[in-house]
Amino acid sequence: MVSRFRTGLLSAFPFLAMGVVGAVDLTGGPGIGLLPMMALGPAFAGLTGGKRRTAMVGVVALALTLALSFYNDQFGERRGNATILSVAGVSVAALLATAIRQKQQTELANVRSIAEAAQRVLLRPVPRGAGPLRVAVSYTSAVAEARIGGDLYEVVTSPHGVRIIVGDVQGKGLEAVETAAVVLGAFREAAYDEPGLLSVGERLERALDRHLLGEKFVTAVLVEVPHLRDDPGADEERTADGGTASGGTADGEKAAGARNATLLNFGHPAPLAVRHDGTVHFAEPPQRCLPLGLGLHGLAPPRPHQVPFAPGDQLLFYTDGVTEARDADNHFYPLDQRAHLLKDPDADAALEAVRQDIEEHVREPLHDDAAMLLLRFRDCPTAQPADEAAAAGTGDGDGEGDGGGSENGRQAPAGATEHGEAARDAAE
């Protein structure tokens, strides 16, 4: 609303300026010497209008100058001729400036369309549903006219589960975009082919080792959520064969059961975990490790760790542009204190609420790219009392009645997927 008012005022200013100058010159006489200020009209017309409008304002300004020169008996005199030439010169200059501005605007529109096409290739729209997950993404570039930057994300449904990456490339600009493209290309291949997250991480390390120069790096967190099994004992069999991802297999194969998500953190901010009972915590890794691009320097790679992830739970992944957003008092954005914003049943609307709250916290353009990816466990039936659930045979196949939207006969708290959403997902 304010921006539209300012634009309208700027558009009307040339006519207001010429009217004021003409009125003052008529009432005050030629001794005031304001007639050269008539050039303000065409000068400001070139800021907002097109070539036709600028030319029209220039003609009006020149006509008023000539009329007032005749009225003041200055036409043909040196002072009157200088005024007429000044207004005519400013009008021509404004017309040329308008033509250049419109050409640049056309070129900028072409560049932005190319950037949007590049975004569709680099940061492809993630699926709204992937396996048992509901996915929502928000991305804000720190560059005002850009659509892409150094933050990255991807969701791949592989034979081994749903695999996700959220990362942040060191630096900004085209170099960061190029590095992000290398990481995403390697992840899309490795996530589908490799049996474990450690193998995926090693593929990313090798790809970046060929690409990066110097001390450049990429912080990233890899996630794997196993597919739901029809066989209730399938998860127990996998646990018996491979052990947990944090302490058993040589390759950190998979999470122990569909009730856990496996994370592999390469120096990235820990995701925010919001449980179905309302508890909130950051899913910190057992130990901090180096980012991607620095892992081939002889240090131990990160180890996978598990995070409970059941129906009604949420995991919010983000880049440091979110938590390092500062207000006027230099306070960081308190993401964990804003977890209540994720209660909206619509995952996209919940993430949009967080994004708007960040903008409200900062009250100015962000100084760093900010990406967020929200995961919700969507395989969540409508909450109902325990006896009705037992009669209906609801649950996740573990016989405990904890797999849906009920707990001790109460409605699942905010964040649980509603029955209508689950039905639509099942239909899809």
Side-chain angles (χ1 to χ4, degrees):
M1 181 67 69
V2 175
S3 177
R4 185 177 301 176
F5 173 76
R6 290 176 179 174
T7 302
L9 183 61
L10 192 60
S11 299
F13 184 81
F15 300 99
L16 294 175
M18 292 188 296
V20 170
V21 171
V24 171
D25 191 79
L26 284 173
T27 57
I32 297 180
L34 283 182
L35 190 55
M37 300 295 290
M38 193 67 71
L40 287 174
F44 277 88
L47 296 178
T48 57
K51 291 183 290 186
R52 180 177 300 179
R53 183 175 182 273
T54 302
M56 180 194 70
V57 173
V59 170
V60 172
L62 188 59
L64 289 174
T65 303
L66 288 170
L68 291 173
S69 295
F70 277 111
Y71 179 78
N72 296 326
D73 296 326
Q74 292 181 342
F75 185 78
E77 296 182 359
R78 184 174 62 181
R79 183 178 179 183
N81 292 339
T83 299
I84 295 172
L85 289 176
S86 297
V87 173
V90 172
S91 299
V92 173
L95 186 60
L96 293 176
T98 301
I100 295 174
R101 174 176 58 82
Q102 288 185 325
K103 181 180 178 181
Q104 292 176 340
Q105 287 178 339
T106 301
E107 293 176 350
L108 177 60
N110 292 334
V111 170
R112 294 184 68 175
S113 65
I114 294 173
E116 291 172 356
Q119 182 191 33
R120 288 192 292 270
V121 175
L122 180 60
L123 294 178
R124 300 181 301 195
V126 300
R128 294 183 65 235
L133 307 179
R134 166 70 67 191
V135 186
V137 166
S138 172
Y139 185 88
T140 304
S141 176
V143 181
E145 298 300 338
R147 293 292 187 270
I148 52 179
D151 290 1
L152 57 95
Y153 53 81
E154 183 59 289
V155 178
V156 175
T157 302
S158 75
H160 316 286
V162 178
R163 289 176 170 175
I164 299 160
I165 184 173
V166 176
D168 187 1
V169 179
Q170 179 197 20
K172 297 180 176 66
L174 293 178
E175 185 178 355
V177 174
E178 182 181 359
T179 302
V182 172
V183 175
L184 289 173
F187 176 77
R188 287 163 182 160
E189 291 292 330
Y192 195 85
D193 296 336
E194 297 296 338
L197 282 184
L198 273 179
S199 300
V200 175
E202 291 170 358
R203 287 271 293 269
L204 298 182
E205 287 280 15
R206 291 194 295 269
L208 285 174
D209 186 57
R210 295 190 298 267
H211 172 77
L212 294 179
L213 298 176
E215 296 298 321
K216 299 292 184 180
F217 58 84
V218 180
T219 67
V221 57
L222 308 183
V223 191
E224 178 181 294
V225 179
H227 295 302
L228 294 177
R229 304 293 183 179
D230 294 332
D231 179 9
D235 295 326
E236 287 75 5
E237 292 176 6
R238 179 165 52 191
T239 305
D241 293 339
T244 63
S246 59
T249 63
D251 196 29
E253 290 291 329
K254 294 181 180 178
R259 296 291 180 175
N260 295 291
T262 302
L263 274 60
L264 187 63
N265 197 315
F266 291 88
H268 196 77
L272 184 70
V274 183
R275 299 302 309 279
H276 63 278
D277 58 3
T279 58
V280 178
H281 70 280
F282 287 102
E284 296 284 352
Q287 62 182 16
R288 304 297 294 179
C289 294
L290 290 176
L292 291 166
L294 303 178
L296 297 180
H297 292 189
L299 298 179
R303 301 297 301 175
H305 67 284
Q306 294 181 355
V307 175
F309 193 49
D313 292 348
Q314 302 182 82
L315 286 175
L316 178 61
F317 300 87
Y318 54 91
T319 57
D320 57 10
V322 174
T323 51
E324 293 182 2
R326 306 190 189 197
D327 61 9
D329 297 325
N330 211 31
H331 295 150
F332 290 113
Y333 181 71
L335 182 61
D336 55 337
Q337 299 176 20
R338 300 295 197 270
H340 63 276
L341 297 174
L342 299 175
K343 65 182 180 180
D344 195 300
D346 187 335
D348 294 294
L351 209 54
E352 177 64 16
V354 177
R355 188 192 66 81
Q356 292 180 359
D357 190 64
I358 294 174
E359 293 182 350
E360 183 69 19
H361 176 81
V362 177
R363 293 184 179 274
E364 64 179 15
L366 295 179
H367 299 294
D368 194 6
D369 298 336
M372 294 181 289
L373 188 148
L374 178 64
L375 297 185
R376 284 181 172 176
F377 205 123
R378 64 175 184 168
D379 186 38
C380 182
T382 304
Q384 53 184 317
D387 54 349
E388 295 181 9
T394 59
D396 292 325
D398 56 7
E400 295 297 326
D402 61 343
S406 63
E407 180 179 352
N408 297 330
R410 294 183 286 110
Q411 179 77 21
T417 308
E418 295 186 349
H419 178 68
E421 188 177 39
R424 288 196 304 271
D425 295 333
E428 293 172 0

